[in-house]
Structures are given as C-alpha cells and as structure tokens.
Amino acid sequence: MKSLLIINAGSSSLKFAVFNLPLVKDAPSVFRGQIDGIGANTQFVAKDIDGKTLLDTTIKSPEGTPLEAQQELALTSLLDWVEAQNVELAAVGHRVLQGGEKYSAPVVVTPEVFKVLETFIPLGPLHQPHNLRPIRVLAAKYPNLPQVACFDTAFHRTQPLEAQTYAIPRKITAEGVKRYGFHGSSYDYISRQLDEVIGAEKAKGAVIVAHMGNGASMAALRDGKCVATSMGFTAIEGLMMGTRTGSIDPGVLLYMMETHGYGPKEISNFLYKESGLLGVSGISQDMRTLEASDAPEAKEALELFCYRAAREIGSLMMAAGGLDALVFTGGIGENSQFVRNKVIGYLAWMGASIDAELNKVRGKAHTIHTADSKIAVAVIPTNEEWMIAHHAVSLLGL
C-alpha cells in the first residue's frame, strides 16, 4: 500500500506522520512520532495507529558533530525506520514556515521552487532553514519522489493590506517586513470543520479561532477566510505563549540592551525561550503543571495568559465585524477547561456563556455554549498533519 510521509522539522525536533492512500477524511495516521533533543540527547519515538510505542531509542552522534549533520542523521534515521515498516512512499508533505508574498497556497517543490523558498530564509531565520533541510535531503536520496510544501503563512494571505502592514518606512515593507501570520495549516483545517460543528450560517459569519498551544495565536475569519490574525512578521507577536512574550513594547528590548547589555542572541532567547508562561511563573511553560500548582506565581501566569487572550479577541472582533462564534483548538485550547472558562468569563458582558458539563468533554469536536449564549463556542481538535496530507493528495492527484 502506498503512503504519504508528513514532516514538520525544527532546529531541535522533527515530528512526522504516515498516512495510507487513498486518504480518507480525518483518517488517523498509521504511524506517528517525533525525534527530540537534536543537538543534545536525541531521542526517537514512533507509535502506531493505536498509540502503541513501536520505537523509543537514542540516536547517537560522535562528539563535536555539527548541528546540521545531526539534523540530517535524525532524518535519515526516520527514513530508514519508515522503510523498515515496508512503507512505500508516494509523496512527502512538509510544513514550511514562509511562503512569502509569492505562495498563497501549497505547492509542489521543484528545484526552481526550492530556490525561491531559500530566499525567504531572512524572513524566518529560526525556522525556514530547518523546514527546508529535509526537502533537500529527500531530493538527493529519492530524486523522483514528489514533495509538497504547505506554508504556515498561506492561509493568512487573504488579509486586507491594512491588516498586513506595519507603520514603518515603505522601503522596509518592500523588503517583505509585514504581518504574515502563522499556524496556517491548523486554521485551514478548522475552517473546513465549521459548517458541521457550528452550522453554515455562523460559519459564514464572524468567527475567531484560538489556536492555543506552546505557540499560540488567533485568527478572525469571515466567510471562512482570514481577515486578521494575531501573529505578524514572526511567531512572537500577539498572544502570550509557553516561553514567548507575545506582543511587547519594543522599548523593553531597548531597555534590556542598554541596561543589561543584551545583544541579538540574548534578545532572541528573551523573546522566544525565557518569557511567556515560563517567565511569569518561574515554574514551567506547561499549562497542566501550572494548573496543578498552588504557587501564586503559577496563578498569575494563568490569569495573564487568559487576560491577554481576551484582549486579543476584542481586537479581532473589530476586524471581523462582530463575533458569531469562538473556536478553541491546539493543545491548550482543546484540553484546558480553566482557560476556556476564564476567557469566556471575560466575554460575559456580550452574552457569552458555556455549559460546565460540556466544557469537560474532551477528544471530539463539539459546542460548549449554553442554550441562551449569544455567541457559539466550540472546541475542535486540530489536525495539521492530515491537512498537509490532503493538500499533497490534491496537488499530486493521488
């Protein structure tokens, strides 16, 4: 049986999923897993369709091996394991951060396309090179194997000009410095579930989707299309996240540079790795750990996360022209009763309310609002890997 391999590669991790063909709507992957700790202690875990662990091993590299070589070793280890499962690959789909202004939809990767994608590295230096490396390695190993790139930015290309533009000199905007938005595959998937979950009428109206995970963002939809999103030029802007600041006064960064002597590396760590839930709590970036903690610092981090989320909803309501429905997704959005309850509590003034028992239900797409709520509220588990697989099938005619 022929299959699709889906890859989401970062600097220190590589997530994967394998789907059998023909692809069935919302079919589970037959294999999935991840390789974590690349560059340090690399651990390879693979599971089957039932969640049973098939492999849990360490990938060892000689001391002093460059990070890029370790990343390629991780990918090669994955490909060897997939081959050992007697999987016949028909194509590979990739999550790629940046499609720039050129790509507003997934694309089959050719040598010419790959060269264009490399020009977007300055727009996403922390992600784009790592997203592209597996494409290059696979092209060398399997030159006839089709590959498809699905862009985090593509779903948001429908935003109007004013939603994409920063108040900066035009010459800098012309270099591509604008608000792109990310988590596109997740929003793409959720937008296709709205009719079934909240009804066609509300799905065509003003819908805000909250993708809340370690990375968190929101998007305002009209007629299922993005009109505004919380993330911008990078995946920092907008909501408070696991270890990222979210939107922050640039003056704070100037302060850190002038008072604490921070350079680019320290500023990057401050923005991406030391802040958010972890920074405020001083305990953990994991929502589950913080919810279980009695520490006042944990409570403060949770309260701030929800407050910032509710503030962002207010902004996106303006862009969407109201609010007919609010959808929670992502690891936190799908699983945290506390976050959903707290965020909706901030919207009580506009008639939003949720049912306590429905809010406890997990693992399926469903509405959680009360009968008299003026706003539909839903929880929809996202499936970015399936979305990428769907696009690969559609583009390649598989």
Side-chain angles (χ1 to χ4, degrees):
M1 180 178 290
K2 292 194 173 184
S3 303
L4 292 170
L5 172 63
I6 308 303
I7 291 178
N8 178 4
S11 60
S12 61
S13 67
L14 188 159
K15 298 178 182 178
F16 73 93
V18 176
F19 293 89
N20 282 340
L21 293 175
L23 186 68
V24 177
K25 185 178 184 299
D26 291 334
S29 57
V30 290
F31 301 115
R32 68 169 49 240
Q34 57 191 55
I35 302 176
D36 284 320
I38 301 172
N41 299 310
T42 307
Q43 199 70 19
F44 183 1
V45 176
K47 299 182 179 182
D48 66 10
I49 193 170
D50 298 316
K52 177 184 177 183
T53 299
L54 302 176
L55 180 73
D56 189 344
T57 188
T58 300
I59 301 175
K60 296 182 178 179
S61 301
E63 190 172 345
T65 301
L67 177 60
E68 182 173 340
Q70 293 189 51
Q71 292 167 333
E72 293 189 8
L73 176 60
L75 177 62
T76 300
S77 299
L78 168 61
L79 296 176
D80 289 344
W81 183 83
V82 169
E83 284 186 0
Q85 310 314 304
N86 297 315
V87 171
E88 184 182 355
L89 291 180
V92 182
H94 299 266
R95 179 183 180 182
V96 177
L97 180 81
Q98 266 288 358
E101 293 186 83
K102 185 174 180 63
Y103 298 116
S104 58
V107 63
V108 177
V109 182
T110 63
E112 294 73 26
V113 167
F114 188 82
K115 288 179 182 178
V116 174
L117 298 183
E118 287 184 309
T119 68
F120 300 147
I121 288 175
L123 302 181
L126 299 181
H127 300 88
Q128 192 83 351
H130 309 303
N131 299 156
L132 298 182
R133 185 168 294 114
I135 298 177
R136 187 181 67 243
V137 172
L138 278 157
K141 186 176 177 67
Y142 306 112
N144 296 319
L145 183 65
Q147 300 191 70
V148 171
C150 293
F151 306 105
D152 262 16
T153 54
F155 185 79
H156 306 294
R157 299 300 295 134
T158 55
Q159 293 181 98
L161 180 64
E162 58 270 25
Q164 299 182 54
T165 307
Y166 287 113
I168 57 177
R170 298 184 73 89
K171 64 180 181 180
I172 304 300
T173 302
E175 293 177 8
V177 179
K178 57 182 58 180
R179 304 189 73 256
Y180 290 99
F182 302 95
H183 294 135
S185 292
S186 177
Y187 292 119
D188 191 1
Y189 179 83
I190 296 299
S191 70
R192 296 163 187 257
Q193 316 305 310
L194 294 176
D195 278 13
E196 184 176 340
V197 180
I198 63 173
E201 183 178 352
K202 288 188 180 296
K204 288 182 173 62
V207 179
I208 293 176
V209 181
H211 176 105
M212 295 174 162
N214 189 49
S217 68
M218 289 186 182
L221 313 185
R222 262 285 183 192
D223 292 321
K225 305 295 182 184
C226 181
V227 295
T229 188
S230 61
M231 281 183 171
F233 179 63
T234 69
I236 300 174
E237 192 177 357
L239 303 178
M240 174 182 174
M241 306 178 213
T243 61
R244 299 175 219 167
T245 60
S247 294
I248 186 171
D249 182 346
V252 174
L253 307 183
L254 294 175
Y255 169 83
M256 299 303 291
M257 294 165 67
E258 294 168 355
T259 305
H260 293 272
Y262 275 26
K265 183 177 181 181
E266 290 78 15
I267 289 292
S268 180
N269 285 336
F270 177 78
L271 291 170
Y272 279 98
K273 298 180 180 180
E274 299 172 350
S275 300
L277 291 170
L278 175 64
V280 175
S281 71
I283 298 170
S284 175
Q285 69 192 63
D286 193 308
M287 182 65 69
R288 295 164 296 187
T289 300
L290 297 180
E291 287 186 20
S293 174
D294 293 325
E297 295 85 354
K299 186 174 188 294
E300 288 176 9
L302 294 174
E303 294 285 344
L304 182 58
F305 181 91
C306 297
Y307 173 80
R308 291 279 295 271
R311 281 279 297 267
E312 194 66 46
I313 290 171
S315 171
L316 292 174
M317 283 172 58
M318 184 285 297
L323 183 59
D324 294 306
L326 175 63
V327 178
F328 291 93
T329 192
I332 294 172
E334 295 168 24
N335 296 300
S336 177
Q337 298 175 44
F338 172 86
V339 168
R340 294 193 297 263
N341 191 59
K342 190 71 179 179
V343 170
I344 296 302
Y346 279 116
L347 305 181
W349 63 271
M350 55 186 300
S353 62
I354 56 176
D355 183 282
E357 292 304 312
L358 291 175
N359 193 31
K360 295 177 182 178
V361 177
R362 297 177 61 177
K364 67 175 185 177
H366 66 296
T367 55
I368 61 173
H369 56 267
T370 58
D372 60 349
S373 177
K374 291 182 170 57
I375 298 165
V377 184
V379 179
I380 305 179
T382 194
N383 195 336
E384 295 171 87
E385 293 87 358
W386 187 91
M387 197 71 250
I388 294 171
H390 168 78
H391 285 305
V393 167
S394 299
L395 276 173
L396 300 170
L398 297 175

